[in-house]
Amino acid sequence: MKNHIVLGILLGLLSLNVAAEQYTISAKELSLSLQQRFPVARSYEGVEAEFSQPKLVIQNLDNEIEIEVKITVTYRGQSFVAEGLIVDIPSIQTVDNTLRFERPKLEEFFINQDNMTDSTEAIKVLKQTIGQTLPPIILLEFDQVDISLISNEPAKFSLSPQGLVLEY
């Protein structure tokens, strides 16, 4: 009888100790997924800004994902090109089964090429967008992740030097 109780307890512990399945997606793979959603055009006080060429950067020590983008700004028929950084904390959205930036913000930008005779006004307007919330950005659609797991919606995720780690 005592052996049956010990065996029952051991079987119970073994069934509770099922390891979560993990799947890692590299920053390069995420960038490829993200490129399908760009370019994105926005208008701010007569200044047109096109965000393109996204590159996803994982800052696993800070537990952050950043998106480096090219920004082409056009104002009164003239333009300049800048590099910008969009940041937010990613979250899983169960409604549409995605990982997204819900409230992304342009954190900074640096002008690479200025072809304007006077870019003062355009730069001023773009600077005013720093810290302002942009529309949500889908980083990954879980339905498109080609893995055979119990559920295509992960229980949680984390960041590592190898990429985005999805746990099922």
Side-chain angles (χ1 to χ4, degrees), residues 141-153:
E141 293 180 46
F142 295 120
D143 295 341
Q144 294 182 356
V145 177
D146 190 25
I147 49 179
S148 301
L149 296 174
I150 297 168
S151 167
N152 58 353
E153 182 183 308

Side-chain angles (χ1 to χ4, degrees), residues 108-127:
E108 59 187 22
F109 70 92
F110 304 97
I111 298 173
N112 289 343
Q113 180 182 0
D114 189 349
N115 298 324
M116 296 180 143
T117 52
D118 183 10
S119 57
T120 308
E121 184 65 24
I123 292 171
K124 177 182 152 194
V125 170
L126 191 58
K127 281 183 179 178

